[in-house]
Amino acid sequence: MRLHVLGTAAGGGVPQWNCACPGCTGARAVPSRRRLHACLAVELAPGRVYLVNATPDIGEQIERCPWLRPDGRRTPLAGVILTDAELDHTLGLARLREADELEIMATDAVRKAVGEGLRLDETLAPYVRLRWRDVEGAELLPVSGKRPRYARDFGDGQWVSALRIGGLVYAPAMGVWPTGFGDGADVVFADGTFWDDDEPRTAGFSSRTAIEMGHLPVTATRERLAALPARCLYTHLNNTNPLVDPGAPQHAELKGVEVASEGTVVEW
Ligand SMILES: [Zn+2]
């Protein structure tokens, strides 16, 4: 199997349209620092590719992936796997309405949020049928019970998951470090939303800490990741994370864990 990294940013992207923080300003000045919303293309079998999460950048992301080039009106895109129901991971479903049918794998909680909260099944029905199915050939492991704000009345459930497919573990958001996380994996993508727990407060956009927002910060996970035999990369970087600046001194404190970038291909 192989994967192609199609995006590495948290909600808003880098730069975020209404932000002039150092990370966003740097990305406007230096195009190579731009990051699209976090997304992977995973080829489970030759010519059978799944997107992991459907972001607002999905059209551009599909164009950037050579494995997703259509042939006539046939596409190698087999479906979408959702690791949570956050808007930055689900709004792209609407952009796939030109498909005849769209296969989506997700937990029951995520399916309910997209169907009854965003009403996408109903809204898209005249264009495309969303065919929901249980995850097969992969596992979704619970990593947080944090609901999207639009789904705050929906009750408890498996709201945020880490995806495991063979030797790949993909956890763009993780509120906890589950027992055995990353054991036996070849490649692990972990939550790199925030550098440290105070970042949302010091950056001035939230009164909550990173952990209160459902994200273990880099400073809480880098040593545990570095201890895994797997290749480990941070993804889902918020624009306030100093790691979006390739010259930031924090890169020297990563203990060998990498920062994912768009275009990276990993085979395992
Ligand atoms: Zn910013």
Side-chain angles (χ1 to χ4, degrees), residues 13-16 18-25 28 238-240:
V14 188
Q16 180 174 311
N18 61 349
C19 186
C21 74
C24 291
T25 303
R28 283 190 189 98
N238 197 56
N239 46 64
T240 53

Side-chain angles (χ1 to χ4, degrees), residues 148-220:
R149 277 185 259 173
Y150 73 82
R152 68 162 66 101
D153 299 329
F154 279 46
D156 294 334
Q158 187 172 329
W159 284 103
V160 184
S161 304
L163 172 67
R164 176 139 196 173
I165 305 176
L168 165 68
V169 175
Y170 183 66
M174 49 194 297
V176 296
W177 180 284
T179 304
F181 180 79
D183 287 357
D186 298 309
V187 57
V188 175
F189 287 85
D191 186 339
T193 310
F194 299 116
W195 171 257
D196 63 27
D197 201 28
D198 268 339
E199 184 179 319
R201 299 198 288 209
T202 52
F205 65 87
S206 178
S207 58
R208 295 180 294 168
T209 66
I211 290 171
E212 286 168 353
M213 294 179 73
H215 297 285
L216 288 177
V218 169
T219 53

